[in-house]
Amino acid sequence: MSVSPILDIAIDPEFDLCIPAALLRLGYIYPELGFSGSDKGISVHGASECDPAQIEREVTYQIYREKIFRQTLPMRQKLYAMLAG
C-alpha cells in the first residue's frame, strides 16, 4: 500500500463514534484499499486507479448506516424484550 493517502474524506465530528464500525465494513468491501481514521475523518490508501467519487459515496453511506444502527438500537432492544417477555 502507498504511504500517502489517495483520498481524504472529511467527516463531521458528530459522527466520530460511527467511524470504527464503518472502517471495519469498508475493509471487507474494498480489500484492496486501506482505510484509517484521520484528524479530518477517513483516509483511503491503496490502488490509485479506483474511482474516488465511488469510494467517497461508499464511505459516507457506511457512516450513515452506522449512525442509523446506533439511533435505532434502543428501540429494537425494547421491541425484542417486549416480544420475548
Side-chain angles (χ1 to χ4, degrees), residues 19-63:
I19 290 177
L23 291 176
L24 187 62
R25 284 192 200 103
L26 289 164
Y28 71 78
I29 294 171
Y30 294 100
E32 70 280 5
L33 299 175
F35 297 89
S36 60
S38 69
D39 293 340
K40 293 190 274 182
I42 295 180
S43 293
V44 184
H45 305 269
S48 60
E49 62 270 355
C50 66
D51 179 13
Q54 173 63 29
I55 300 296
E56 187 167 357
R57 279 192 300 272
E58 187 67 37
V59 167
T60 54
Y61 170 73
Q62 294 301 330
I63 295 282

Side-chain angles (χ1 to χ4, degrees), residues 68-84:
I68 290 173
F69 175 80
R70 287 174 170 274
Q71 285 179 333
T72 60
L73 183 59
M75 178 177 45
R76 285 182 285 123
Q77 287 173 330
K78 287 178 186 175
L79 179 62
Y80 296 149
M82 186 175 67
L83 292 173

